Amino acid sequence: MVPGLKFLLFFSLYLLQGVKSSMVHLNNNGYDGVVIAINPSVPEDDRLIQSIKEMVSQASTYLFEASKGRFYFSDVRILVPMTWKSKPEYLTPKRESYDKADVIVAEPYLKYGDDPYTLHYGQCGDRGQYIHFTPNFLLTDNLPMYGPRGRVFVHEWAHLRWGVFDEYNTDRPFYMSGKNAVTATRCSTGITGRNVVHERQRGSTVIRPCRRDSTTGLYESKCTFIPDKSQTARDSIMFMQNLNTVVEFCTEKTHNTEAPNLQNKICNRRSTWDVIKESADFHNASPMTAREAPPPPTFSLLKAKQRVVCLVLDKSGSMDTGDRLIRMNQAAELYLTQIVEQKSRVGLVTFDSTAIIQNYLTEITNSNDYPRITANLPQQASGGTSICRGLEAGFQAITSSDQRTSGSEIILLTDGEDKQISSCFEAVKHSGAIIHTIALGPDAARELETLSTMTGGLRFYANRDITGLMDAFCGISSGSGDILQRALQLESKAFNITGKGLVKGTVLVDSTVGNDTFFVVTWMTKKPKITLQDPKGKKYTISDFKDDELNIRSVRLQIPGIAETGTWTYSLSNENARSQLLTLTVTTRARSPTVSPVMATAHMSHNTAQYPSPLMVYARVSQGFLPVLGASVTAVIEAEDGHRVTLELWDNGAGADTVKNDGIYTRYFTDYHGNGRYSLKVHVQARKNTARLSLRQQNKSLYIPGYIEDGKIITNPTRPEIQDTEAPVEDFSRLTSGGSFIVSGAPPGGSHTHVFPPSKVTDLEAEFKGDHIHLTWTAPGKVLDKGRAHRYVIRMSWHSQDLQEDFHNATLVNTSGLVPKEAGSKENFEFKPGSLKIGNSSMFYIAIQAVNEVSITSEISNIAQAVRFIPSQEPNISDLGTKMLSPSLTVFLFVATLFIF
């Protein structure tokens, strides 16, 4: 076997996922490489480390029991920040870092609660991004509210590792079951308790029975399910892991398919255990039947170090093509002067068929340090391409500067092929270095992505997009968790300006940024005339911009101090008689260490795609740890042949988007134009005060309001209530690179209508209006969530199971007058049930399929429920149990709408 290729099999699993690289792997039933990182803003406190150890040790035993002897935590690494004092027991990290940690310990943003949660926005079975615990959660007694911390960790680990979802629903805590009974949303239904209202009246606490809502038939909004402390049910961990008897996940036998929760919606009514059984972990681990308990976890304490980066840049003969050398130097200079943070140690290597160390590591302490490196950027391109020699020189530049390669970063840029690249795979693996790769042009070595994957690095691709290289370098920013260190892109534009032509534009600088702000302009032939004006009217001209000394056709302006908040205007005038390409790039950093700026990150659902499998584009927009809603988010995807696709991303809970209003903007991508590398770039902006900050998080452990013990309700402290669930966000603009991905088996281009169906409708709602049923849903497209479907098929039944198992034989609804709208539009349709008679109390289930013009049908939608009640005239009676039959209702007439997914 060629040296290094044996590692391809090991890392092939990680090529499939587009989420951040995790070091966790299963080793003989034990999870090795679990990284728990503490944010730099958290004050030093040894109690945190002890609490983490106790939590993981407890979680390991609980996980072992819950997984029926399959899994436990074996090797856990706790990463403390550089801001903490050094200790002899602190080791130097290898590839562990804050931004790649499985668990982060950080303060909540804006002090909105200590609920543990997992950032998980993918499809059913997809791994999440990270688990977030606050220091307060780890250091205070939360036992009554959440249960033991180890159990909470297992609840969150199931989100993170196996892609399952919560089985409660705080928005829909009750639903009408198929037996016409109001039931608490839970799994399993074997968990017993009462439904009560806990409120303050005249200065004292009052607990009373729940009243029925006169418009929905369900309990009033204040009603809460209080569990019995003593239970016999053993499941489920994804509902209430705090109950002593709960030691299992819901199985096919115990799963509540009717509950309107995310697990049913996103996982198509499958139980959490069924999803876990489909995971790679499950298939790779047999039960440890000989043991009653797992071995205890081992813990390593690591302390983060200053960043070490070495640029390894290709200067072979092919780099002379299409101004590639100049474009590379422009982007590298931008990275060195604007992106890499101060106190970093930076080196430079150039290579062709041989390699030269241009700069050993230089510590960046002020603006005078950058020119020592940029002065050595290559001025001529010649020779062949030896990537391995470039990497070896990069390692030497690091070790010769008394630094370890382990944990250091290399930025490798090349446009050429190298048939010998696999010969250094093993050396790369053992180096412990993180290698970020930038493939320039369609002929760059196909093995580059293997280097990134095996080392946990980022991957980028740039070709005809003139700003692509700068955007790639901007994407390799600090991952330490320190918001002041991370560079942000506000703008990146290219202009093809006619001879003597002029272009004008604006750049928005919001109040959360403005520190270390740069405006950079590049050109291809002749320096343009530049005018820049800040929001207060101060003007900057070309004389204020600093020329490079390398003839790489770029100038930059660093705004003194803090850039003014507001709209900056610019004009670029082409002084050349012929048209030329100009670019404008604007970068900045956070204004204050106490106010998080709005951040945007992006990636594809997978790093590789085999046609005709669709991909999903994900963009996360957040401030601190909270989602930003109402932004305009646009993805630009470019194929190797230069074909560009622009997609508006949606946070509407339909199509590829799993949850509405969670700050994750998503869309399907199917517009493949041939094989090879594709690049992703995302623009985010908010205008006219449309953006807002959501003060809620999904996928979190349930806060238990109390217990019933010996017939008495014992309440927990009332959670601090958030008066407003949203807060305004000022207008802003961001740009981020989502890296690259590889496509195989795709046709050169054209229509994909005959391949992809319309996307599944996931938000169908139904309600009675008089004797008619009114339906609403988000329109799918002709091709998943793009275009317009040809027609809809709507069917209904008295029993949800009929639609689940035999949709095509359920009663057909006449939709002859229903013309599908464009994908993403809100559909409304009203009909009167015909063959199914409406009685005094009627309950119907409805589902929908979309069909495109070549008769390819979507999956069956979620099943909506429409309930019409004509109750008895009895006095109002409220039930303290978990169920109440509809004849007990006391309102005169109302309707109810619920989901069954």
Side-chain angles (χ1 to χ4, degrees):
M1 182 177 287
V2 177
L5 289 184
K6 59 185 178 182
F7 299 111
L8 290 176
L9 294 176
F10 178 78
F11 290 107
S12 62
L13 173 64
Y14 302 101
L15 276 169
L16 299 178
Q17 297 247 358
V19 298
K20 70 174 186 179
S21 175
S22 170
M23 299 181 67
V24 177
H25 60 278
L26 199 60
N27 182 14
N28 294 328
N29 299 92
Y31 284 113
D32 283 358
V34 178
V35 178
I36 301 176
I38 300 173
N39 189 279
S41 65
V42 174
E44 186 168 359
D45 192 334
D46 289 339
R47 295 179 302 156
L48 277 175
I49 293 177
Q50 185 59 35
S51 178
I52 290 170
K53 289 181 176 180
E54 292 173 356
M55 175 181 69
V56 175
S57 298
Q58 185 184 69
S60 186
T61 303
Y62 187 54
L63 176 63
F64 189 77
E65 181 178 8
S67 64
K68 299 176 173 54
R70 280 180 172 83
F71 311 121
Y72 65 95
F73 294 110
S74 176
D75 165 46
V76 178
R77 304 161 194 183
I78 302 173
L79 180 67
V80 304
M82 285 187 294
T83 51
W84 288 25
K85 295 177 183 177
S86 296
K87 292 184 178 181
E89 60 266 34
Y90 290 165
L91 305 176
T92 301
K94 296 180 179 178
R95 291 180 176 129
E96 300 87 354
S97 62
Y98 181 86
D99 64 329
K100 296 174 187 172
D102 307 289
V103 181
I104 61 172
V105 178
E107 297 288 354
Y109 186 61
L110 299 180
K111 306 297 180 185
Y112 285 119
D114 294 303
D115 286 339
Y117 73 91
T118 300
L119 181 63
H120 176 222
Y121 47 76
Q123 302 298 306
C124 182
D126 289 349
R127 292 176 185 171
Q129 303 292 298
Y130 60 76
I131 298 168
H132 179 188
F133 294 121
T134 67
N136 192 51
F137 171 80
L138 292 170
L139 296 177
T140 58
D141 180 15
N142 301 293
L143 186 64
M145 289 77 80
Y146 301 102
R149 277 187 280 265
R151 287 177 169 236
V152 173
F153 188 27
V154 172
H155 176 103
E156 299 304 332
W157 185 260
H159 286 311
L160 179 76
R161 188 70 183 178
W162 301 316
V164 298
F165 294 84
D166 289 320
E167 292 168 335
Y168 65 86
N169 189 339
T170 54
D171 291 330
R172 295 175 183 262
F174 300 97
Y175 67 98
M176 191 70 69
S177 75
K179 296 180 179 179
N180 211 18
V182 178
T183 305
T185 301
R186 67 199 192 281
C187 190
S188 68
T189 55
I191 293 178
T192 59
R194 299 180 186 176
N195 308 316
V196 299
V197 172
H198 174 213
E199 61 186 359
R200 299 283 294 177
Q201 291 184 4
R202 298 178 182 177
S204 61
T205 300
V206 174
I207 297 175
R208 61 170 176 80
C210 299
R211 302 188 183 101
R212 308 300 286 270
D213 188 284
S214 61
T215 58
T216 67
L218 301 175
Y219 291 128
E220 59 190 298
S221 61
K222 295 180 181 179
C223 187
T224 304
F225 174 74
I226 307 290
D228 293 318
K229 190 165 188 179
S230 177
Q231 301 274 349
T232 59
R234 295 174 60 84
D235 45 14
S236 170
I237 292 169
M238 301 313 292
F239 175 54
M240 284 188 177
Q241 76 286 332
N242 57 295
L243 298 174
N244 288 336
T245 63
V246 172
V247 292
E248 297 177 357
F249 295 95
C250 262
T251 65
E252 183 180 8
K253 292 182 179 179
T254 60
H255 182 58
N256 178 8
T257 60
E258 290 187 317
N261 54 36
L262 279 180
Q263 176 63 25
N264 277 330
K265 175 185 178 182
I266 299 175
C267 294
N268 202 25
R269 299 179 296 276
R270 286 183 295 158
S271 74
T272 51
W273 186 242
D274 283 341
V275 175
I276 293 169
K277 287 197 298 183
E278 292 181 1
S279 68
D281 289 350
F282 194 92
H283 289 291
N284 292 329
S286 300
M288 299 171 65
T289 54
R291 300 189 67 107
E292 292 185 358
T298 60
F299 295 93
S300 304
L301 300 180
L302 314 174
K303 184 181 178 184
K305 64 174 187 175
Q306 291 288 357
R307 195 176 186 194
V308 174
V309 185
C310 186
L311 276 64
V312 178
L313 306 180
D314 187 352
K315 68 172 205 63
S316 62
S318 57
M319 288 293 292
D320 213 18
T321 305
D323 289 321
R324 287 180 182 173
L325 191 71
I326 288 178
R327 288 169 55 196
M328 178 185 75
N329 287 342
Q330 290 171 344
E333 185 182 49
L334 177 143
Y335 180 78
L336 292 167
T337 56
Q338 299 170 224
I339 307 302
V340 71
E341 58 276 16
Q342 287 200 0
K343 296 185 180 179
S344 298
R345 293 179 173 89
V346 182
L348 174 64
V349 168
T350 58
F351 70 94
D352 42 47
S353 54
T354 60
I356 300 174
I357 299 175
Q358 302 288 355
N359 293 85
Y360 290 92
L361 296 183
T362 300
E363 184 172 4
I364 306 298
T365 56
N366 57 56
S367 59
N368 295 324
D369 295 319
Y370 303 117
R372 300 177 194 171
I373 306 173
T374 58
N376 294 321
L377 290 169
Q379 297 301 297
Q380 290 184 330
S382 63
T385 303
S386 177
I387 292 171
C388 284
R389 289 185 178 176
L391 291 174
E392 290 164 1
F395 295 152
Q396 185 182 347
I398 293 169
T399 56
S400 297
S401 304
D402 296 324
Q403 294 292 316
R404 298 178 181 178
T405 56
S406 182
S408 299
E409 298 172 69
I410 284 181
I411 300 176
L412 171 64
L413 184 152
T414 183
D415 73 337
E417 296 180 280
D418 181 0
K419 295 181 180 180
Q420 304 300 316
I421 187 172
S422 62
S423 65
C424 58
F425 280 0
E426 187 148 357
V428 167
K429 179 179 181 293
H430 289 296
S431 73
I434 300 164
I435 300 182
H436 310 296
T437 59
I438 303 175
L440 178 56
D443 298 324
R446 295 296 168 182
E447 298 87 351
L448 282 181
E449 284 75 11
T450 304
L451 291 170
S452 295
T453 301
M454 69 166 61
T455 63
L458 302 172
R459 50 164 71 183
F460 300 92
Y461 172 64
N463 188 17
R464 299 184 185 180
D465 182 359
I466 196 69
T467 63
L469 276 183
M470 286 195 173
D471 298 335
F473 272 102
C474 286
I476 312 174
S477 190
S478 169
S480 68
D482 185 342
I483 62 172
L484 282 178
Q485 291 185 339
R486 189 176 182 89
L488 304 172
Q489 257 185 299
L490 302 185
E491 188 59 274
S492 176
K493 278 189 175 180
F495 309 94
N496 191 357
I497 305 179
T498 58
K500 303 299 181 178
L502 176 72
V503 65
K504 295 182 178 181
T506 61
V507 176
L508 183 61
V509 177
D510 59 273
S511 67
T512 68
V513 297
N515 191 23
D516 204 20
T517 302
F518 283 85
F519 288 76
V520 179
V521 176
T522 71
W523 61 92
M524 301 303 293
T525 308
K526 186 176 182 179
K527 183 191 298 184
K529 180 179 179 182
I530 306 170
T531 303
L532 178 68
Q533 182 173 301
D534 76 10
K536 290 188 175 180
K538 182 177 179 179
K539 288 189 176 181
Y540 301 88
T541 63
I542 188 65
S543 61
D544 298 303
F545 283 69
K546 183 178 179 180
D547 267 303
D548 71 89
E549 298 176 359
L550 303 171
N551 191 30
I552 58 174
R553 307 171 195 167
S554 72
V555 292
R556 68 177 35 78
L557 169 67
Q558 182 176 15
I559 304 301
I562 303 294
E564 292 289 347
T565 298
T567 301
W568 291 63
T569 60
Y570 62 85
S571 67
L572 303 176
S573 176
N574 182 10
E575 300 293 281
N576 198 36
R578 296 181 179 181
S579 63
Q580 67 168 333
L581 281 171
L582 307 180
T583 72
L584 172 70
T585 303
V586 184
T587 65
T588 188
R589 283 184 165 87
R591 179 178 297 251
S592 164
T594 59
V595 179
S596 294
V598 173
M599 306 276 285
T601 57
H603 66 87
M604 303 299 292
S605 56
H606 298 86
N607 287 332
T608 60
Q610 176 67 45
Y611 185 85
S613 297
L615 290 174
M616 283 163 277
V617 189
Y618 292 114
R620 181 190 177 206
V621 187
S622 60
Q623 185 173 18
F625 296 106
L626 297 177
V628 173
L629 314 180
S632 173
V633 183
T634 305
V636 179
I637 298 172
E638 182 176 339
E640 275 195 3
D641 65 1
H643 178 81
R644 302 180 76 179
V645 175
T646 300
L647 286 175
E648 180 186 354
L649 306 187
W650 297 332
D651 184 16
N652 60 357
D657 191 58
T658 54
V659 177
K660 183 178 181 178
N661 288 340
D662 64 349
I664 308 299
Y665 298 77
T666 316
R667 200 78 184 274
Y668 283 109
F669 173 70
T670 59
D671 199 356
Y672 299 112
H673 273 249
N675 299 324
R677 294 183 174 104
Y678 287 63
S679 64
L680 167 66
K681 181 163 56 177
V682 169
H683 300 261
V684 181
Q685 65 174 13
R687 295 291 186 269
K688 299 181 180 179
N689 301 312
T690 58
R692 56 204 189 277
L693 193 67
S694 173
L695 308 183
R696 303 178 60 188
Q697 284 286 6
Q698 302 286 341
N699 299 313
K700 62 186 181 183
S701 296
L702 183 62
Y703 185 101
I704 309 302
Y707 302 89
I708 301 171
E709 190 170 13
D710 298 328
K712 295 181 180 179
I713 296 177
I714 301 171
T715 59
N716 287 323
T718 304
R719 292 186 65 187
E721 289 193 14
I722 302 171
Q723 297 300 319
D724 298 311
T725 58
E726 295 180 351
V729 175
E730 64 183 298
D731 290 352
F732 66 88
S733 179
R734 298 289 186 270
L735 184 139
T736 185
S737 173
S740 64
F741 59 99
I742 296 175
V743 174
S744 59
S751 173
H752 302 286
T753 305
H754 296 268
V755 177
F756 299 104
S759 60
K760 173 183 174 179
V761 172
T762 59
D763 60 350
L764 177 65
E765 297 186 30
E767 67 174 338
F768 266 101
K769 289 188 175 181
D771 58 356
H772 285 68
I773 295 177
H774 182 78
L775 304 179
T776 61
W777 67 94
T778 301
K782 175 175 67 176
V783 177
L784 294 172
D785 57 7
K786 181 181 177 182
R788 189 192 300 260
H790 181 61
R791 61 186 177 90
Y792 292 117
V793 177
I794 301 176
R795 295 183 183 272
M796 62 185 297
S797 175
W798 280 317
H799 307 286
S800 63
Q801 194 170 4
D802 293 344
L803 297 175
Q804 295 173 27
E805 299 177 358
D806 196 17
F807 176 80
H808 298 288
N809 288 321
T811 300
L812 184 66
V813 175
N814 184 356
T815 58
S816 58
L818 178 58
V819 178
K821 296 180 180 178
E822 192 72 17
S825 304
K826 184 58 69 174
E827 297 275 25
N828 291 273
F829 180 67
E830 194 168 277
F831 68 96
K832 183 177 181 180
S835 58
L836 297 181
K837 184 179 179 182
I838 302 176
N840 287 342
S841 293
S842 300
M843 182 184 300
F844 295 110
Y845 296 91
I846 302 102
I848 187 171
Q849 277 187 317
V851 185
N852 66 17
E853 60 193 21
V854 291
S855 298
I856 301 178
T857 60
S858 70
E859 293 182 50
I860 300 168
S861 72
N862 66 288
I863 300 174
Q865 181 193 64
V867 186
R868 182 189 187 192
F869 300 101
I870 302 179
S872 64
Q873 301 301 310
E874 302 172 10
N876 192 2
I877 300 172
S878 294
D879 185 4
L880 286 179
T882 61
K883 300 181 180 179
M884 176 178 284
L885 297 179
S886 60
S888 301
L889 300 175
T890 58
V891 296
F892 184 72
L893 176 65
F894 61 85
V895 297
T897 305
L898 294 116
F899 277 114
I900 294 180
F901 300 104

